[in-house]
Every structure is written in structure tokens, then in C-alpha cells.
Amino acid sequence: MHNSYLDLQPALGYQFQQPDLLQLALTHRSHNGTHNSERMEFLGDSILNFIIGEALFEQFPDAREGQLSRLRASLVKGVYLTRVAKQLGLGPYILLGPGELKSGGSRRDSILADAVEAIIGAMYLDAGMPSCKRQVLEWYADRLKTLSLEDTTKDNKTRLQEWLQSRKLALPGYEIVDIGGQSHSQHFEVECTVSERGLVFRGKGQSRRQAEQIAAGKMLAELENAGNQDATLSIETDPGTDN
């Protein structure tokens, strides 16, 4: 195993008993054609959801289920995982194939976020849940300290963007379709479009920003509702393998 992997461990704050697990987590499929790191991403994603979910459950005893779900989503997907990866300095340690390396894959947000999940899976396999949980909570400590329930009720545009990015969908488009009223009391109407889903929603507000936020909120509600219905349908129609 190359020493560079061992050099990463102080930044992670974790010493692997089985260093090969770290190497595996950092080996992108483009490097050797295997999907072992993706299996670790799957495991790490599940573990991260549990660890952060439990932390939020304990931190906000009066929060509703929807508030906890939105807070967790903001911490375990896309944008925030990329931030964690950059803080840990993962980019130079990810093993990539020639094509990904040439195109700057080590700086690509999706690859960085996947690497964080894979490392979490590797830590779990290396030492079990208590050690893995302790280290993940250290990575998230500063953010958890500043988190509040107000974070669940603001910035629909950011939440919509993160929802789309986590599913590798294009970002929404916003267009002013109407401006009315007098100059001192104008109102704006804005369309929010997600082309890949064929959805368009309108929002009205006293400013363009307010109208965009309202339209984004309607879009996000529809997408989340459709996603929940798809998940339910999948469960109901899956014949399973047990007899």
C-alpha cells in the first residue's frame, strides 16, 4: 500500500487497523473497473444517515419529523459532503483512471462526496459503529453546534438545488413572467422550471427573490411528494425474493 494513504489518516482523525479498506474506499471505479468503492458508498450512506439522524433526534427533542428530515438531508447529501471532503483534503488521494484524472475528477463534487461516504463505510468495516460514529460526529461537530430549526424553513432555492444535484439532475430555471403594480408597490410573478421532469410552477411576491423562493418551494414539494409516491409504489409492487 502506498504511503500516501497512510498520510491521509491524520486529516481523517482516524487510524485504520486494516489500511487496505481505506485504499479500497479511495479507488474510483474508473481506476480499475471494479465497483467495490461504490458498495462502500452504499454502506457509508446508510450509516451516515443513521448517525446524523440520531444526533438530530437527540439535539432537537421538540422537532417534527419533517423538520428533522430536512435538516438531515442538508447534512448528508451533495453540497455538504463535498465541503467535508475538501476540509479533509481528499482530492489528491483519490485513485482515478486516466480519463477522470485528465478531466479533473479529483476536484469534481460528486466524486468527492462519494469518497466521503466510502470512507465512512470503510471505517465501519474496520472498527464497528462506535468508532465510526465518534469520528463522523467530529467531522460534523462545528455544523451541528450552529444548526437550528430555522434552517428548515428558509431558502427554498438552495434546498431545491441540493435535491436536484443529489439526483444528478440539471438545475432549475427561473424566469419573470409578469411584473405588475405601481413602482412603489410592484409584484413579481416568476416561473420555476425543471425540464427533466417536465414541471413548471409559478410564484408571486413583492420582489423577484421572494417570487423565486415561493416557486421553488412549490416545485420542491411536488418533487418530494412524487418521490415518496414512487418509493411507496416500488415497495408495494416489488414481489421480493422470499416465498
Side-chain angles (χ1 to χ4, degrees), residues 3 18 31 35 55 66 97 111 122 147 166 185 193 199 204 216 224 233:
N3 286 339
Q18 305 171 72
H31 180 75
H35 296 270
I111 289 178
L147 211 57
S166 70
S185 60
T193 304
L199 295 174
K204 294 181 179 180
E224 288 179 336
L233 181 62

Side-chain angles (χ1 to χ4, degrees), residues 28 41 94 96 100 105-106 108-116:
H28 190 261
E41 290 166 25
I94 300 174
L96 300 167
E100 285 287 1
S106 63
R108 187 169 301 137
D109 288 357
S110 60
I111 289 178
L112 289 170
D114 289 345
V116 173

Side-chain angles (χ1 to χ4, degrees), residues 100-145:
E100 285 287 1
L101 197 60
K102 188 175 181 180
S103 65
S106 63
R107 298 185 301 275
R108 187 169 301 137
D109 288 357
S110 60
I111 289 178
L112 289 170
D114 289 345
V116 173
E117 292 179 337
I119 289 173
I120 291 171
M123 290 192 300
Y124 172 79
L125 292 173
D126 188 61
M129 180 61 84
S131 295
C132 180
K133 175 182 173 180
R134 182 168 55 251
Q135 192 52 55
V136 169
L137 289 178
E138 282 188 22
W139 295 349
Y140 277 82
D142 290 342
R143 181 64 183 119
L144 286 171
K145 286 177 185 176

Side-chain angles (χ1 to χ4, degrees), residues 121-235:
M123 290 192 300
Y124 172 79
L125 292 173
D126 188 61
M129 180 61 84
S131 295
C132 180
K133 175 182 173 180
R134 182 168 55 251
Q135 192 52 55
V136 169
L137 289 178
E138 282 188 22
W139 295 349
Y140 277 82
D142 290 342
R143 181 64 183 119
L144 286 171
K145 286 177 185 176
T146 61
L147 211 57
S148 82
L149 291 181
E150 292 181 3
D151 293 334
T152 67
T153 61
K154 62 182 180 182
D155 205 350
N156 289 329
K157 289 180 66 176
T158 298
R159 290 169 50 212
L160 175 59
Q161 177 177 317
E162 291 177 353
W163 193 96
L164 294 169
Q165 287 179 326
S166 70
R167 291 158 178 79
K168 297 181 171 56
L169 297 173
L171 296 182
Y174 297 93
E175 181 180 357
I176 296 176
V177 294
D178 185 51
I179 301 176
Q182 303 299 317
S183 59
H184 64 280
S185 60
Q186 285 184 321
H187 63 261
F188 294 76
E189 186 170 6
V190 170
E191 276 188 351
C192 174
T193 304
V194 174
S195 300
E196 292 179 69
R197 294 295 176 91
L199 295 174
V200 180
F201 284 93
R202 291 190 176 189
K204 294 181 179 180
Q206 295 178 334
S207 68
R208 175 176 178 173
R209 173 176 171 76
Q210 184 182 51
E212 288 177 345
Q213 292 288 351
I214 292 171
K218 293 179 179 179
M219 179 67 74
L220 183 62
E222 173 64 22
L223 290 169
E224 288 179 336
N225 183 57
N228 291 337
Q229 289 180 347
D230 290 345
T232 301
L233 181 62
S234 175
I235 292 171

